[in-house]
Each structure stands twice: as C-alpha cells, then as structure tokens.
Amino acid sequence: NHPRNGLLVQATMLLAIGLNGTGKHQEAIELLERAKSMVKDNKLCRESWLATVTDNPILVESRRRTWWELYVLDGLFACAYQSTKFTLYDLDDDVKLPCEEVDYLRQVSPILAISEDSHSDSDRIFSRDLRTAQSSYLRLHAAFSVYKS
C-alpha cells in the first residue's frame, strides 16, 4: 500500500513508458490505467490540489506537467492500441497548461495563457492559431489530433 500521490503517478507513468518501449504493451497499458485511476480517485487533475501540495512553484509546475503528460499518454495509447479509451479527455479537470521550458528552467512562476479554456471544449481550444501557441499546447493538440483521426 503506497500513498497514491503525484510522485507515484510520475513513477508509474515512467515505468509504463519504459515497458511500452520494450514491447511489453499489455503491462504498459495496465500501469497507465493504474496511473489514471490514481489521478481520478485523488482528484490530482484539479488546480486546487496542486496548490495544496506545496507553495514551491517549481513543484507545482512539475505536478502540472505530470497531469498533462498523463493526458497525452492516454490519448496516444488509446490511438495506438485501441483496447483503451481516451478517458482523461472527458475528465473534469482545471489544470493549467505547463509553462514554456525556458521559464521552467529559469524557475519562473508560470503565468499560463489559456487557463480560461477547457480541453473538453475542443472546438474552442483546438481552433487556436498554432503559429503563436506555446509548446505544451502544441503537444496536446498533436495527441488530440492523432486520437481523432
């Protein structure tokens, strides 16, 4: 019985990625499902949870990145294996997009551009001008596009 928190989600995701890369797809899918369950059960997809974890903006950003990486993996696994569903797409979340890498490396507290948008409203969020979009948005857009194709 391990605590079901952001660090365990990160570790579970990394193991799933590693297993997937070595051809152990079913084990990777099972671990991804476990990570998704931890997020859903503990409301780790809520900005309010991020703020209660720590007041360190870098750790908050790390948790934010964990959520969105899990979101992307969920979409990619759903597309690649079609034995899973992109369940995080419909999850009620309000986590802001991660900041740009340069800001993260400079340890700048993120001010995120599209916090008013929800990924559930795909027509609005995915109709943005991609030439000016931040890199995390482009990654989400790619995962969503692959899933929808």
Side-chain angles (χ1 to χ4, degrees):
N1 286 330
H2 299 287
R4 295 163 64 96
N5 60 34
L7 294 174
L8 187 56
V9 171
Q10 287 175 338
T12 304
M13 282 177 17
L14 287 173
L15 187 53
I17 292 168
L19 287 170
N20 191 57
T22 60
K24 297 180 179 178
H25 305 298
Q26 190 55 45
E27 291 174 57
I29 289 168
E30 290 168 13
L31 281 173
L32 185 68
E33 291 301 318
R34 240 189 265 170
K36 288 165 38 176
S37 176
M38 284 185 255
V39 164
K40 290 186 234 178
D41 293 349
N42 295 288
K43 308 251 187 279
L44 305 182
C45 57
R46 306 296 303 172
E47 194 72 28
S48 57
W49 174 80
L50 294 173
T52 62
V53 174
T54 180
D55 60 357
N56 181 326
I58 301 306
L59 292 178
V60 170
E61 179 66 12
S62 175
R63 297 297 196 274
R64 192 174 281 129
R65 288 167 178 249
T66 298
W67 156 249
W68 285 114
E69 184 62 24
L70 182 61
Y71 179 89
V72 168
L73 284 174
D74 188 30
L76 294 177
F77 271 50
C79 178
Y81 302 114
Q82 299 178 358
S83 61
T84 66
K85 295 187 180 193
F86 192 1
T87 55
L88 296 184
Y89 178 75
D90 293 321
L91 192 64
D92 182 27
D93 75 88
D94 66 354
V95 176
K96 297 174 186 174
L97 286 178
C99 67
E100 288 295 327
E101 201 64 28
V102 67
D103 294 329
Y104 187 61
L105 294 173
R106 281 194 238 144
Q107 299 184 357
V108 173
S109 181
I111 300 173
L112 302 162
I114 68 166
S115 61
E116 73 280 358
D117 287 343
S118 164
H119 67 275
S120 298
D121 189 358
S122 60
D123 289 339
R124 185 171 47 152
I125 192 169
F126 292 117
S127 65
R128 293 176 156 262
D129 182 357
L130 297 181
R131 293 172 297 179
T132 61
Q134 63 192 68
S135 58
S136 58
Y137 174 82
L138 295 173
R139 186 165 161 74
L140 293 171
H141 191 278
F144 177 79
S145 297
V146 166
Y147 174 72
K148 287 297 185 180
S149 62

